[in-house]
């Protein structure tokens, strides 16, 4: 428990620091984080007997994140033509491997990009939602605070009052009581944030909290389903007492793209 608490405190400090130290630190940090999550994904898949194109997939992931992150600073979409060329190397690489299931390997290579890189691209873009190239850490930091509030609320309420299983087949410990508790505490965190971060009104922050609570939980369940399909408990051991990086960021999987889509629509 002590090790878990120390790791958790260190993790929170690093995550908050990545938001407060300026746009370049923010961009580089989440580029590296998405890369590490992708490599962790490929490692898990390899344990399941598949052989994803790790090098080409990692190169495509870094390129994908870089182009979309660079576009937050200057018009970079004209260079995106390089991405399809790079992505085509993934199936081409399978031609030179002796594999019994080449398209399974190709599919998991692409799936890694979708699960480990794309969510962080949208999370990164939250800091530039106004479209004027100005970095603002309020939304991504607020997102993390609401995500942590939801997880904490769901754990505390579920541990105390949990009786009815939410999705026992994929996550036996989750309960409807915990799910509702997470929603309420996440919404309360959004209410507090709206008093300090006034770029968006209180209603918008509450909507963001509801998206995070619902789709963050769905992302958690999808990641649990993925691990169960590979018969592994944790995605990795890089965070002692907490598992792997994918375990810590499963809430971003679906929540980040949808929160960004909501912010983009109301900002434009």
């Amino acid at each position: 428990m002590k090790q878990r608490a120390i790791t958790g405190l260190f993790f929170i400090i690093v995550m908050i620091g990545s938001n407060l130290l300026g746009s370049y630190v923010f961009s580089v940090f989440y580029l590296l984080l998405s890369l590490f999550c992708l490599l962790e994904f490929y490692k898990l898949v390899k344990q399941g007997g598949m052989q994803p194109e790790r090098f080409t997939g990692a190169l495509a992931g870094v390129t994908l994140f870089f182009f979309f992150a660079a576009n937050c600073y200057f018009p970079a979409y004209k260079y995106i033509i390089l991405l399809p060329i790079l992505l085509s190397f993934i199936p081409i690489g399978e031609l030179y491997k002796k594999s019994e299931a080449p398209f399974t390997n190709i599919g998991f290579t692409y799936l890694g990009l979708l699960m480990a890189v794309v969510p962080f691209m949208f999370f990164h873009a939250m800091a530039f939602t106004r479209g004027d190239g100005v970095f603002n850490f309020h939304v991504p930091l607020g997102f993390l605070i609401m995500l942590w509030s939801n997880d904490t609320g769901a754990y505390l309420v579920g541990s105390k009052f949990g009786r009815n299983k939410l999705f026992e087949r994929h996550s036996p410990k989750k309960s409807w009581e915990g799910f509702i508790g997470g929603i309420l505490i996440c919404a309360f965190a959004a209410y507090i944030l709206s008093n300090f971060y006034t770029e968006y009104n209180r209603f918008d922050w509450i909507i963001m909290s509801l998206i995070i609570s619902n789709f963050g939980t769905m992302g958690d369940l999808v990641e649990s389903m993925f691990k169960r399909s590979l018969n592994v408990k944790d995605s990795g051991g890089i965070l002692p007492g907490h598992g792997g990086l994918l375990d810590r960021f499963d809430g971003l999987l679906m929540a980040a793209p949808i929160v960004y889509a909501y912010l983009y629509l109301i900002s434009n």
Side-chain angles (χ1 to χ4, degrees):
M1 182 63 71
K2 182 179 179 181
Q3 183 186 54
R4 181 180 176 87
I6 293 174
T7 302
L9 178 61
F10 176 77
F11 174 78
I12 290 174
I13 291 173
V14 170
M15 294 305 298
I16 292 177
S18 69
N19 283 261
L20 300 180
L21 294 177
S23 62
Y24 295 119
V25 172
F26 180 81
S27 297
V28 171
F29 178 83
Y30 285 99
L31 169 63
L32 294 175
L33 185 58
S34 65
L35 175 61
F36 291 147
C37 285
L38 180 62
L39 293 176
E40 186 176 271
F41 178 92
Y42 289 153
K43 183 179 179 181
L44 279 176
V45 169
K46 192 172 182 179
Q47 290 176 6
M50 280 67 75
Q51 298 291 328
E53 292 285 338
R54 294 185 62 190
F55 177 78
T56 312
L59 187 58
V62 169
T63 305
L64 183 65
F65 189 101
F66 175 80
F67 279 129
F68 279 89
N71 194 69
C72 295
Y73 296 94
F74 60 88
Y77 279 122
K78 58 185 178 179
Y79 301 109
I80 205 67
I81 190 63
L82 296 175
L83 187 61
I85 299 174
L86 186 59
L87 290 175
S88 69
F89 291 154
I90 293 174
I92 291 174
E94 282 296 312
L95 293 173
Y96 297 92
K97 291 170 59 177
K98 293 182 179 180
S99 174
E100 296 180 357
F103 281 93
T104 300
N105 297 335
I106 293 169
F108 274 104
T109 304
Y110 286 134
L111 182 61
L113 298 176
L114 181 63
M115 289 186 65
V117 177
V118 171
F120 286 107
M121 285 167 39
F122 283 101
F123 180 80
H124 175 274
M126 289 180 196
F128 302 87
T129 49
R130 292 300 184 181
D132 52 8
V134 176
F135 172 74
N136 186 340
F137 68 85
H138 291 173
V139 175
L141 181 58
F143 180 99
L144 291 175
I145 291 173
M146 289 186 286
L147 185 63
W148 295 336
S149 299
N150 177 71
D151 291 345
T152 302
Y155 173 77
L156 293 177
V157 176
S159 298
K160 185 72 174 178
F161 303 104
R163 298 292 183 274
N164 301 290
K165 300 301 182 182
L166 177 64
F167 219 118
E168 189 171 10
R169 183 156 55 96
H170 295 302
S171 187
K173 294 183 179 180
K174 281 186 170 51
S175 65
W176 279 102
E177 292 82 1
F179 175 63
I180 294 172
I183 291 176
L184 294 176
I185 293 177
C186 185
F188 179 68
Y191 174 84
I192 295 176
L193 287 168
S194 68
N195 294 318
F196 297 95
Y197 299 158
T198 57
E199 299 89 340
Y200 296 97
N201 59 44
R202 184 162 295 160
F203 175 80
D204 291 328
W205 280 104
I206 296 296
I207 293 296
M208 281 189 267
S209 76
L210 294 177
I211 293 173
I212 290 170
S213 295
N214 284 274
F215 288 96
T217 301
M218 288 297 141
D220 190 343
L221 290 170
V222 167
E223 203 252 351
S224 295
M225 179 175 64
F226 170 67
K227 289 189 297 183
R228 284 179 177 272
S229 70
L230 298 175
N231 197 30
V232 296
K233 183 178 183 295
D234 295 321
S235 64
I238 193 171
L239 299 172
H242 290 263
L245 291 173
L246 291 175
D247 293 324
R248 292 302 92 207
F249 293 104
D250 49 16
L252 272 125
L253 179 62
M254 295 183 181
I258 297 176
V259 168
Y260 176 78
Y262 175 76
L263 295 176
Y264 180 82
L265 291 174
I266 68 172
S267 297
N268 291 274

